[in-house]
Amino acid sequence: MTTTTRPEHAPTTTRARRPVPAQIARRIADTPALWRPLVRFDAAARFATRLPAASDDHEVWLLTWLPGQGTEWHDHGGSAGAFATVQGVLTEQHATPDQGGGPAVVVPGARRLVTGGVRPFGPRHVHHVVNADPVGAVSIHVYAPSLTEMTEYTRHGSLLHSSGSQLAGVNW
């Protein structure tokens, strides 16, 4: 098996010039000067701010999570993405979307995303993320293309049913 290393100056896009969210998330995570001054925690809700590292084909967000803060079940409206945990630990559960349009099925178990880890996902990814640890967490999220809508889901046993949506420019 041959392993090649991508030079640091190589683009973070595929041949079709589509951004590679995991590479962008890693690059931003490895450059604390871009995000560290923006970190703040809010006891009422997760804090989120869009970073100026965005471009026409992707966007980058900084999120902070106090212990117990998390997301509801959601997708990313057809955007692919990735997130890098830059402080603390996040826990993710995900679901497998039904190909025929039926409810998504929750995959048993959870994934712990420790500092330094990057979690890529495709355009049909459905998940729930929470800070289940006793210290604050910080993460960098990249979406390509930029988010326009996120569908929310309600869990009924192992099934997720669409329960609404959030729209860019309206809900965030």
Side-chain angles (χ1 to χ4, degrees):
M1 181 168 159
T2 303
T3 304
T4 58
T5 304
R6 185 179 67 80
E8 285 303 312
H9 63 277
T12 55
T13 59
T14 64
R15 286 186 184 143
R17 304 290 301 158
R18 281 190 243 137
V20 179
Q23 292 175 357
I24 297 167
R26 168 60 53 214
R27 180 174 47 82
I28 301 293
D30 288 345
T31 313
L34 296 175
W35 55 266
R36 178 68 65 194
L38 302 172
V39 170
R40 66 172 249 234
F41 291 93
D42 184 336
R46 285 178 301 121
F47 170 75
T49 188
R50 192 170 189 225
L51 298 180
S55 74
D56 290 342
D57 58 7
H58 70 275
E59 66 182 345
V60 181
W61 289 81
L62 168 82
L63 278 75
T64 66
W65 318 66
L66 284 172
Q69 291 180 337
T71 68
E72 300 299 326
W73 283 96
H74 67 281
D75 67 22
H76 303 96
S79 293
F83 64 98
T85 306
V86 295
Q87 178 182 311
V89 178
L90 296 171
T91 300
E92 179 198 39
Q93 290 182 280
H94 74 280
T96 304
D98 181 87
Q99 299 298 329
V105 178
V106 174
V107 175
R111 173 180 289 159
R112 286 177 48 85
L113 305 154
V114 300
T115 298
V118 176
R119 169 65 160 122
F121 54 85
R124 297 194 56 203
H125 189 67
V126 178
H127 69 166
H128 160 71
V129 181
V130 66
N131 178 1
D133 277 37
V135 297
V138 179
S139 54
I140 305 294
H141 298 246
V142 177
Y143 304 102
S146 295
L147 294 176
T148 58
E149 178 179 16
M150 295 191 326
T151 303
E152 299 170 324
Y153 296 86
T154 301
R155 184 172 179 170
H156 300 281
S158 64
L159 301 179
L160 299 179
H161 298 277
S162 174
S163 59
S165 63
Q166 300 279 323
L167 300 174
V170 175
N171 304 107
W172 77 86

